[in-house]
Amino acid sequence: MAVAITLRGVSRVHGTAKALDDVSLEFAAGGATALMGHSGAGKSTLLQLIGGMDLPDSGEILLDGKPLPRRGLGAHRRRIGFVFQRFHLLPALSALDNVLAPVLPYRVDFDRRAWARELLDAVGLAGRERALPSQLSGGQQQRVAIARALIGRPPLLLADEPTGNLDSATGQEIVDLLFGLRESHGMTMIIATHNPELAATCDRLIRLADGRVAADETMAPATDVLDRIGRLG
Ligand SMILES: Nc1ncnc2c1ncn2[C@@H]1O[C@H](COP(=O)(O)OP(=O)(O)OP(=O)(O)O)[C@@H](O)[C@H]1O
Ligand SMILES: [Mg+2]
């Protein structure tokens, strides 16, 4: 069910700045990849391109071997859970309705309300289902955004600093939730993060610098990974 992704010579230019510069990568189905690198390195740009929220200026992106179309990306986006760096919750909707919003237009083969409540519970927001985003802290809004990304049981999860606004205990709970779901229903995950513990949970670390791949390591046991992250600087 999980999705494999291929990038071939992908570039994205903003004005004179190359946000991504001729990037070629393969992501295996079911893998969990941490995307690290300095601010402005191109992490969000890469996630948005894979998610079909932005288009490359050159190169191509394939999902399970099929090129992403340049138009009509709706079907593609439906297979993706996306955690936005700035949450992008709908301000007039409750936490529960924000979580439900992505699947409301579609037929799904599970009880969406029950699953939405279960997800809110899993991210530690049981009892806050009716709260509006403005009544929630930044970390709580982030947790709503994570639940929303998972509502469609996506085969591909793209998460842009999903623990950026969370304390380390809450961050660890979210990481456990993501990796638990990956175990139970198999999803490919790509997670942009500045958090070394989260990166160490993944099985691969890609470091971007100035829009290029500066390091790409497959990681086995979590133990030596923190060392390796330190060594890569
Ligand atoms: N819409 C845009 N218009 C102009 N420049 C942009 C735009 N989006 C990104 N950039 C530029 O592209 C480069 C990569 O940005 P990106 O947001 O991908 O970095 P990032 O690695 O996610 O950084 P951060 O860790 O701060 O989130 C930066 O130089 C940024 O200024
Ligand atoms: Mg970013």
Side-chain angles (χ1 to χ4, degrees):
M1 183 181 173
V3 172
I5 304 151
T6 305
L7 281 84
R8 287 191 193 140
V10 171
S11 295
R12 180 73 176 103
V13 182
H14 291 296
T16 54
K18 282 188 176 164
L20 277 185
D21 186 5
D22 193 20
V23 168
S24 295
L25 286 167
E26 298 269 353
F27 296 90
T33 302
L35 207 53
M36 299 189 88
H38 62 83
S39 179
K43 303 181 295 296
S44 295
T45 302
L46 180 62
L47 292 178
Q48 282 161 15
L49 289 170
I50 295 172
M53 277 157 285
D54 189 14
L55 292 170
D57 293 299
S58 57
E60 65 174 353
I61 300 172
L62 301 92
L63 257 77
D64 287 337
K66 290 193 210 87
L68 283 188
R70 292 190 69 87
R71 313 182 61 173
L73 278 160
H76 169 56
R77 289 198 200 103
R78 234 172 287 157
R79 301 169 72 200
I80 295 174
F82 202 103
V83 182
F84 292 92
Q85 190 165 8
R86 291 183 187 80
F87 320 145
H88 294 304
L89 299 178
L90 296 167
L93 297 187
S94 69
L96 182 67
D97 287 337
N98 264 287
V99 174
L100 280 168
V103 289
L104 274 187
Y106 309 114
R107 196 190 295 272
V108 290
D109 59 2
F110 52 89
D111 179 343
R112 59 187 121 206
R113 293 206 145 251
W115 178 228
R117 286 180 183 280
E118 214 174 293
L119 284 170
L120 281 172
D121 197 10
V123 298
L125 290 176
R128 303 307 306 276
E129 291 87 351
R130 298 169 75 88
L132 295 172
S134 60
Q135 297 166 325
L136 297 171
S137 71
Q140 289 170 332
Q141 291 177 51
Q142 181 153 45
R143 286 181 272 159
V144 175
I146 289 163
R148 177 184 58 186
L150 296 168
I151 186 70
R153 304 191 174 178
L156 173 58
L157 179 76
L158 303 171
D160 202 347
E161 303 194 19
T163 61
N165 292 272
L166 305 179
D167 59 69
S168 60
T170 312
Q172 191 56 49
E173 282 169 28
I174 297 296
V175 171
D176 292 345
L177 170 71
L178 296 180
F179 282 81
L181 281 170
R182 172 175 170 245
E183 288 268 292
S184 61
H185 77 278
M187 51 182 182
T188 310
M189 304 199 299
I190 307 176
I191 306 176
T193 185
H194 292 285
N195 175 345
E197 281 85 16
L198 173 49
T201 316
C202 296
D203 48 45
R204 183 178 177 192
L205 169 64
I206 292 174
R207 192 175 286 277
L208 292 180
D210 302 326
R212 308 198 70 136
V213 176
D216 183 355
E217 288 197 49
T218 303
M219 312 186 294
T223 42
D224 56 48
V225 168
L226 281 171
D227 288 353
R228 217 177 283 168
I229 292 168
R231 203 173 67 226
L232 290 170

